[in-house]
Amino acid sequence: MPRTARIAPKEYVYHILTRGNNREDVFKDEKDYKKYIEILRRYKEKYNFRLYHYVLMRNHVHLVVEPTEEGGTLAEIMKGINLSYAQYFKFWYKHIGHFWQDRYKSIIISKDDYLLACGSYVELNPVRAGVVKDPRDYKWSSYNVYAYGKADPLIDVHSVYKGLSKNERERRRRYREFVRGMLREKEAMKGEMDRRVIYGNEEFIEKVRKEYNIEAVMRQKGRPRKEKKGKK
C-alpha cells in the first residue's frame, strides 16, 4: 500500500518521535548521543529550523521543532538527521538492515500552553521510563535549559516559556513547578500523546482539521477491544 502524504506546513510547531527498528537501541555509548547532537547542530545550521525541546532515549528520540519560512521543510530536516545518524551507526557498529522504525511520527502543536505541556511531556520521558526520578538528573534532554538556565546553543527558548515571567529566576521556578504539576497530576503525562495528530485547544484543532482535512487523533487499526466482564 502506498504511503499517505504527510501534512507538514511550515507555520506550525511539531512534536517528532523517531524509534529504532523493532524498538532496538539507537544509542549504545555516550559517543553516540554526542554524535546525534552534532548532527542536530549541523542540520539546524543547514535548514535553519528552531529546536525548542528534545530528549534522546536509548531506543528513540523526541524533538519539538519549528521549520522557518527561509529554511528547509520538515521532511528535509528529518531526512537529513535520520539518514546521517543511521549511516554513522551502521558504519560504527556494522549494523545491517533497517535502522529506524518506519517513518518518524509528527504531531502539530499549538504555540501556547500546549507547547509548554508538550515540552514537559518530552522532558519527562526518562521519568516515565524509570531511568531517573527527577528530569534534572537526565543528561540528554533540554529540561535543564528551561528549569535551571543551563547553556545549550542547540535550544531556541520559545515565547510561551518567556511569558511565564519577566524575571529569569522566577521563570525557571515556574517552569519547574509546571513540570512537577504534570508529574503529580497527570502521571508524568503518560499516554498524553498517544495517537494524536494535533495537540492544542478545541479552536486550534478545529482550524487545522478544516484547513488540511485531517483528524486530530489517529483511529486504532482493527476492531475495538471488548471490555472484560466486571471491568469498567
Side-chain angles (χ1 to χ4, degrees), residues 101-140:
Q101 181 175 298
D102 302 322
R103 296 187 294 176
Y104 61 89
K105 178 184 177 183
S106 62
I107 304 171
I108 298 174
I109 309 295
S110 62
K111 210 169 179 180
D112 51 22
D113 285 352
Y114 282 87
L115 173 55
L116 213 59
C118 178
S120 64
Y121 170 84
V122 166
E123 293 162 357
L124 283 170
N125 256 263
V127 177
R128 287 196 299 277
V131 178
V132 295
K133 290 185 178 179
D134 188 329
R136 181 182 190 176
D137 298 326
Y138 193 72
K139 185 176 181 179
W140 308 105

Side-chain angles (χ1 to χ4, degrees), residues 155-173:
I155 294 299
D156 300 285
V157 175
H158 52 77
S159 58
V160 184
Y161 169 77
K162 290 177 181 177
L164 291 176
S165 173
K166 290 182 179 180
N167 179 275
E168 197 170 316
R169 182 175 291 182
E170 177 63 12
R171 196 159 58 227
R172 294 171 190 165
R173 188 196 68 78

Side-chain angles (χ1 to χ4, degrees), residues 12-213:
Y12 292 113
V13 177
Y14 297 89
H15 168 217
I16 305 295
L17 168 61
T18 311
R19 290 190 184 279
N21 193 40
N22 295 322
R23 297 181 181 248
E24 292 178 358
D25 289 357
V26 295
F27 302 107
K28 293 180 179 289
D29 191 89
E30 183 162 328
K31 71 177 183 305
D32 302 333
Y33 293 93
K34 289 180 177 178
K35 185 66 179 180
Y36 190 92
I37 294 292
E38 178 193 313
I39 289 169
L40 257 184
R41 187 176 293 112
R42 189 198 318 158
Y43 280 95
K44 196 166 182 284
E45 290 174 2
K46 181 176 181 178
Y47 288 126
N48 198 28
F49 63 90
R50 299 185 184 101
L51 177 64
Y52 294 134
H53 298 269
Y54 75 89
V55 69
L56 311 183
M57 301 296 288
R58 195 184 73 243
N59 66 357
H60 66 281
V61 173
H62 290 266
L63 307 172
V64 180
V65 304
E66 182 178 18
T68 59
E69 279 302 318
E70 64 275 15
T73 64
L74 185 64
E76 288 172 329
I77 293 163
M78 293 312 302
K79 181 181 178 181
I81 294 169
N82 285 354
L83 183 59
S84 292
Y85 185 75
Q87 287 173 339
Y88 153 79
F89 191 96
K90 287 183 174 187
F91 174 80
W92 190 264
Y93 294 104
K94 305 297 184 281
H95 179 90
I96 297 171
H98 290 297
F99 181 69
W100 297 112
Q101 181 175 298
D102 302 322
R103 296 187 294 176
Y104 61 89
K105 178 184 177 183
S106 62
I107 304 171
I108 298 174
I109 309 295
S110 62
K111 210 169 179 180
D112 51 22
D113 285 352
Y114 282 87
L115 173 55
L116 213 59
C118 178
S120 64
Y121 170 84
V122 166
E123 293 162 357
L124 283 170
N125 256 263
V127 177
R128 287 196 299 277
V131 178
V132 295
K133 290 185 178 179
D134 188 329
R136 181 182 190 176
D137 298 326
Y138 193 72
K139 185 176 181 179
W140 308 105
S141 105
S142 52
Y143 176 75
N144 286 321
V145 175
Y146 290 95
Y148 295 99
K150 175 189 171 185
D152 188 342
L154 263 183
I155 294 299
D156 300 285
V157 175
H158 52 77
S159 58
V160 184
Y161 169 77
K162 290 177 181 177
L164 291 176
S165 173
K166 290 182 179 180
N167 179 275
E168 197 170 316
R169 182 175 291 182
E170 177 63 12
R171 196 159 58 227
R172 294 171 190 165
R173 188 196 68 78
R174 289 184 182 182
Y175 186 74
R176 293 195 298 271
E177 186 56 37
F178 179 85
V179 175
R180 277 196 292 269
M182 292 296 179
L183 195 56
R184 286 193 307 266
E185 298 164 24
K186 302 195 79 172
E187 298 182 68
M189 301 185 75
K190 186 177 180 180
E192 183 75 7
M193 296 291 175
D194 290 357
R195 296 176 26 245
R196 289 186 185 273
V197 178
I198 312 167
Y199 188 58
N201 59 37
E202 288 183 13
E203 185 180 344
F204 176 78
I205 289 172
E206 193 60 23
K207 172 183 176 292
V208 177
R209 280 184 68 248
K210 285 182 176 179
E211 194 169 354
Y212 297 103
N213 192 29

